[in-house]
Amino acid sequence: MEFLLLLVMLASSAAIRQDLTGQMFTFPKQTKSSYVKLMTSVRDLSAITVCHRSFTDLKRDHSLFSLSTPSNINAFLIFWDSANKEMEPHVRDAKAEFSGLDYKPNMWHSICTTWDSATGLTQLWFDGVPTSRKFTISGSSISGSFIIVIGQEQDDHGGGFDINQSLVGMVSDVHVWDYTLSPCQIQKYMDYLNYTPGNVINWSGLEYQTFDKVVVEKQQMTCQ
Ligand SMILES: *[C@@H]1O[C@H](CO)[C@@H](O)[C@H](O)[C@H]1NC(C)=O
Ligand SMILES: *[C@@H]1O[C@H](CO)[C@@H](O)[C@H](O)[C@H]1NC(C)=O
Ligand SMILES: [Ca+2]
């Protein structure tokens, strides 16, 4: 059993499709080689919502979600800027900065980010609280072949990782929709109630591949 677990931890897995409800990805060690790739056949998004929950005690910059296309390395990125204490969504390489968030270490945070190409508005929801709506970029959609990475930040399409931007901690409930969720739908996600799973990335039917030291295990919740 221990030997098997070790194999799971150390080897890159083959791509699989799994219901990960109640599970999480654990990134237990700072590396520039541990990550999870999420697969989708979608190649064009004129609107998007990305939700995830994460847990870390990092005091430095780190990436929570990194989607690149060949033409936009930061096609959709959620990045914590430690120096400025800002959560920074990037859309097609344009950035919005959200400050004043209570991004405490050692607890789960639920984050949803929406964008639509018609208005170019980006909004982040943090533990149930919406931010001010900010302009990033409008017009064209996010398009090309998507590479979605959790645990590292892409500086190249599918690579260019920086150990100092890696995630050490846990990630769960990653969903991506091809439309902007309503405030009510987002609140349901934040409150762990029933919500419609992502139709681009679906945690209940997740196609993914792990690389290096990533453990898939039961999500730890506090006893309620
Ligand atoms: C990462 O950060 C550490 C501490 O600040 C620094 O010594 C190291 O050179 C950095 N490594 C890279 C690859 O940037
Ligand atoms: C998400 O995956 C589950 C399990 O495979 C499936 O029942 C559900 O229809 C999927 N939802 C969407 C929106 O793709
Ligand atoms: Ca980088």
Side-chain angles (χ1 to χ4, degrees):
M1 186 63 190
E2 264 173 21
F3 178 66
L4 271 180
L5 271 179
L6 201 68
L7 274 182
V8 169
M9 269 189 71
L10 299 182
S12 298
S13 67
I16 46 170
R17 185 183 160 92
Q18 253 182 354
D19 180 356
L20 288 186
T21 304
Q23 306 275 107
M24 64 184 180
F25 293 131
T26 298
F27 303 90
K29 188 174 189 288
Q30 176 166 292
T31 72
K32 64 167 191 176
S33 46
S34 303
Y35 64 103
V36 182
K37 214 187 223 185
L38 307 184
M39 283 76 167
T40 178
S41 53
V42 173
R43 297 171 56 96
D44 191 275
L45 291 170
S46 59
I48 184 171
T49 302
V50 175
C51 292
H52 41 82
R53 307 189 211 280
S54 59
F55 188 115
T56 184
D57 67 353
L58 287 173
K59 291 185 189 72
R60 55 160 174 77
D61 292 354
H62 53 276
S63 166
L64 294 173
F65 180 95
S66 170
L67 186 166
S68 79
T69 63
S71 49
N72 294 113
I73 290 307
N74 298 326
F76 201 91
L77 167 68
I78 306 300
F79 191 77
W80 173 251
D81 176 338
S82 172
N84 296 310
K85 302 274 172 283
E86 287 170 350
M87 200 59 82
E88 298 176 342
H90 297 237
V91 185
R92 286 177 43 226
D93 299 325
K95 180 173 72 166
E97 295 158 339
F98 296 109
S99 57
L101 307 174
D102 199 9
Y103 191 46
K104 285 200 184 82
N106 298 316
M107 61 177 283
W108 284 99
H109 294 288
S110 300
I111 298 173
C112 291
T113 311
T114 65
W115 170 79
D116 79 81
S117 59
T119 62
L121 294 180
T122 303
Q123 186 172 30
L124 190 136
W125 294 71
F126 186 87
D127 293 340
V129 181
T131 63
S132 180
R133 293 164 67 75
K134 297 191 179 179
F135 182 81
T136 46
I137 191 165
S138 61
S140 312
S141 56
I142 299 167
S143 68
S145 97
F146 292 1
I147 297 182
I148 302 176
V149 166
I150 306 291
Q152 301 288 338
E153 200 270 319
Q154 302 174 74
D155 280 348
D156 296 321
H157 191 44
F161 303 146
D162 176 349
I163 192 168
N164 288 330
Q165 297 179 344
S166 66
L167 180 67
V168 184
M170 294 91 85
V171 171
S172 186
D173 295 338
V174 183
H175 288 274
V176 178
W177 295 261
D178 63 1
Y179 53 93
T180 55
L181 259 61
S182 70
C184 186
Q185 288 171 309
I186 289 176
Q187 204 58 55
K188 284 183 179 163
Y189 176 88
M190 299 268 156
D191 293 342
Y192 293 81
L193 302 174
N194 276 336
Y195 52 87
T196 307
N199 59 354
V200 176
I201 296 291
N202 177 359
W203 190 257
S204 312
L206 195 71
E207 283 180 66
Y208 71 96
Q209 186 172 8
T210 63
F211 297 85
D212 203 8
K213 290 182 180 53
V214 182
V215 185
V216 181
E217 56 179 352
K218 193 171 182 302
Q219 190 184 9
Q220 288 183 322
M221 302 297 296
T222 49
C223 192
Q224 282 166 343

